[in-house]
């Protein structure tokens, strides 16, 4: 069971952070961003980025004001029986089942299929570790969205080649479920309010992962972007990040990135999991097989189906 509004013991003191976010260094000549290639135990990422100053707003105590459809992200209190995230079988059974139920409760969906997860326990500059750097995944300190609009359809068609022509007519989403394995101090994760990021700031970029040729967004700097995080996120909380939504009347995607908080620069590397789920995160591809509007289906006789695909790593 999750709680939309996290309980508040008094009004927590805000910890807003002055920091930098790394944005794609647009050469201005119309050339595409350098492709990323993931496979064979390593990732190659040579895209040039430049740091830009921002203040990240701590939303502690105000979590219920931010929603997937309103802002592109949402915080939920959600305890897991899985604590260590070192046993792949436990992750793919117990934790997957928990996240399926979570997504059903949050969205009103009837089914969930998971297609990916990543556990991050590595150092901040893990990209530069050379071969087998995927074994030391750390935080991603570059602003991005995991799938572009076209990239989301590419993923759908890759996973469901025989059903895709019908599925693309329905509402579908990709949502990342991000959970700390230990309370986050160093390199917390921030998300940007979707309404502060126009589509013109997003640039399609190729990314190949284990044979799948996908497409994500890199981001041009815009000082109007509004960044948010929750200070000291705990393992009993999850951050839902919308990577794509085919419904154009709601928030369709949220930029996200790790960032440095100088107050915790010397702490141990963070741990998390994503179900794309140390920090913990997950990714889900959600497909409405009946009605195009999930919100209208809550409490109806036509529950929404969520499809999320999992590939073993």
């Amino acid at each position: 069971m999750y709680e939309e509004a996290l309980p508040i013991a008094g009004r927590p003191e805000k910890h807003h952070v002055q920091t930098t976010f790394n944005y794609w260094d647009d050469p201005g000549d119309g050339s595409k961003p350098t492709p990323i290639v993931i496979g064979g135990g390593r990732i190659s990422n040579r895209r040039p980025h430049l740091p830009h100053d921002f203040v990240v707003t701590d939303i502690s105590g105000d979590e219920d004001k931010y929603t997937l459809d309103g802002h592109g992200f949402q915080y939920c209190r959600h305890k897991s029986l899985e604590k260590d995230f070192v046993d792949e079988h436990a992750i793919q059974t117990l934790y997957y089942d928990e996240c399926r139920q979570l997504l059903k409760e949050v969205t009103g969906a009837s089914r969930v299929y998971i297609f990916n997860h990543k556990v991050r326990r590595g150092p901040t500059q893990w990209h530069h570790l050379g071969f087998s750097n995927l074994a030391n995944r750390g935080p991603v300190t570059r602003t991005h969205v995991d799938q572009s609009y076209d990239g989301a359809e590419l993923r759908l068609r890759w996973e469901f080649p025989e059903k895709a022509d019908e599925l693309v007519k329905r509402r579908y989403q990709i949502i990342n479920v991000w959970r700390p394995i230990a309370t986050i101090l160093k390199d917390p994760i921030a998300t940007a309010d979707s309404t502060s990021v126009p589509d013109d700031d997003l640039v399609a970029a190729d990314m190949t992962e284990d044979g799948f040729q996908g497409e994500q967004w890199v981001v041009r700097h815009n000082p109007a972007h509004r960044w948010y995080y929750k200070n000291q996120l705990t393992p009993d909380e999850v951050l839902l990040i919308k990577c794509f939504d085919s419904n154009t009347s709601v928030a369709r995607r949220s930029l996200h990135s790790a960032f440095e908080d100088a107050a915790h620069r010397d702490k141990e590397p963070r741990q998390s999991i994503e179900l794309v789920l140390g920090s913990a995160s997950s990714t889900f591809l959600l497909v409405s097989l009946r009605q195009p509007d999930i919100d209208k289906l809550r409490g109806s006789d036509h529950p929404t189906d969520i499809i999320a695909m999992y590939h073993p790593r």
Side-chain angles (χ1 to χ4, degrees):
M1 179 66 67
Y2 85 102
E3 302 173 27
E4 291 184 356
L6 303 182
I8 304 170
R11 176 61 59 175
E13 182 178 353
K14 301 287 189 179
H15 180 66
H16 308 313
V17 180
Q18 176 72 55
T19 190
T20 60
F21 285 99
N22 296 310
Y23 282 79
W24 178 57
D25 183 13
D26 186 351
D29 59 5
S31 58
K32 293 191 65 174
T34 306
I36 289 177
V37 178
I38 303 172
R42 67 179 301 175
I43 178 171
S44 174
N45 185 350
R46 297 185 176 89
R47 288 178 188 157
H49 286 69
L50 292 175
H52 296 273
D53 293 335
F54 282 87
V55 173
V56 190
T57 300
D58 178 12
I59 67 169
S60 297
D62 298 314
E63 295 89 342
D64 60 339
K65 296 180 180 179
Y66 300 89
T67 64
L68 282 170
D69 283 352
H71 304 86
F73 64 91
Q74 184 171 330
Y75 288 87
C76 301
R77 182 169 291 279
H78 179 261
K79 291 185 178 182
S80 173
L81 294 176
E82 177 60 31
K83 304 299 181 183
D84 298 324
F85 297 95
V86 293
D87 184 332
E88 282 294 306
H89 178 72
I91 292 173
Q92 294 174 28
T93 54
L94 172 64
Y95 191 58
Y96 277 23
D97 286 345
E98 291 177 342
C99 287
R100 289 187 187 99
Q101 185 59 35
L102 169 65
L103 265 293
K104 290 177 183 179
E105 293 179 13
V106 172
T107 65
S110 62
R111 291 185 297 164
V112 175
Y113 302 89
I114 301 167
F115 76 88
N116 196 357
H117 78 267
K118 297 179 177 70
V119 177
R120 301 184 185 275
R121 287 189 168 94
T124 303
Q125 302 303 328
W126 62 282
H127 284 97
H128 306 299
L129 295 178
F131 185 72
S132 295
N133 55 6
L134 289 182
N136 295 283
R137 287 182 189 269
V140 177
T141 55
R142 298 172 178 179
T143 58
H144 67 286
V145 181
D146 292 0
Q147 284 84 21
S148 68
Y149 298 153
D150 289 342
E153 183 172 334
L154 288 172
R155 172 58 79 174
L156 179 67
R157 292 186 176 280
W158 173 267
E159 302 297 340
F160 299 100
E162 297 180 357
K163 299 179 180 179
D165 285 343
E166 178 62 27
L167 295 178
V168 294
K169 300 175 184 178
R170 315 293 183 173
R171 183 185 184 183
Y172 64 102
Q173 305 173 63
I174 297 176
I175 294 177
N176 185 307
V177 182
W178 196 98
R179 179 191 299 274
I181 293 172
T183 297
I184 300 297
L185 296 174
K186 182 180 175 64
D187 297 328
I189 187 171
T191 49
D193 181 351
S194 178
T195 64
S196 72
V197 183
D199 281 352
D200 288 346
D201 291 346
L202 305 175
V203 181
D206 294 336
M207 184 175 74
T208 300
E209 183 170 9
D210 296 333
F212 168 64
Q213 296 182 0
E215 186 179 83
Q216 61 178 185
W217 295 122
V218 296
V219 191
R220 295 188 179 98
H221 171 248
N222 184 335
H225 294 168
R226 297 190 297 272
W227 288 95
Y228 300 90
Y229 87 117
K230 185 178 187 298
N231 185 39
Q232 298 190 25
L233 197 68
T234 74
D236 290 340
E237 300 168 290
V238 294
L239 168 61
L240 308 181
I241 307 170
K242 186 182 289 188
C243 297
F244 171 78
D245 196 327
S246 62
N247 185 345
T248 60
S249 66
V250 299
R252 301 191 69 191
R253 70 290 181 276
S254 177
L255 313 184
H256 51 283
S257 174
F259 67 94
E260 181 180 86
D261 180 353
H264 302 293
R265 182 178 295 152
D266 298 327
K267 297 294 193 300
E268 291 294 316
R270 77 165 199 219
Q271 300 183 60
S272 62
I273 180 172
E274 305 157 26
L275 281 179
V276 216
L277 271 172
S279 52
S281 41
S282 311
T283 297
F284 299 85
L285 180 64
L286 292 72
V287 182
S288 170
L289 298 182
R290 296 185 177 89
Q291 302 292 335
D293 189 339
I294 285 179
D295 292 333
K296 292 180 180 178
L297 296 174
R298 288 197 176 106
S300 76
D301 294 329
H302 303 286
T304 302
D305 291 320
I306 295 182
I307 298 181
M309 294 77 64
Y310 165 69
H311 290 305
R313 287 293 182 258

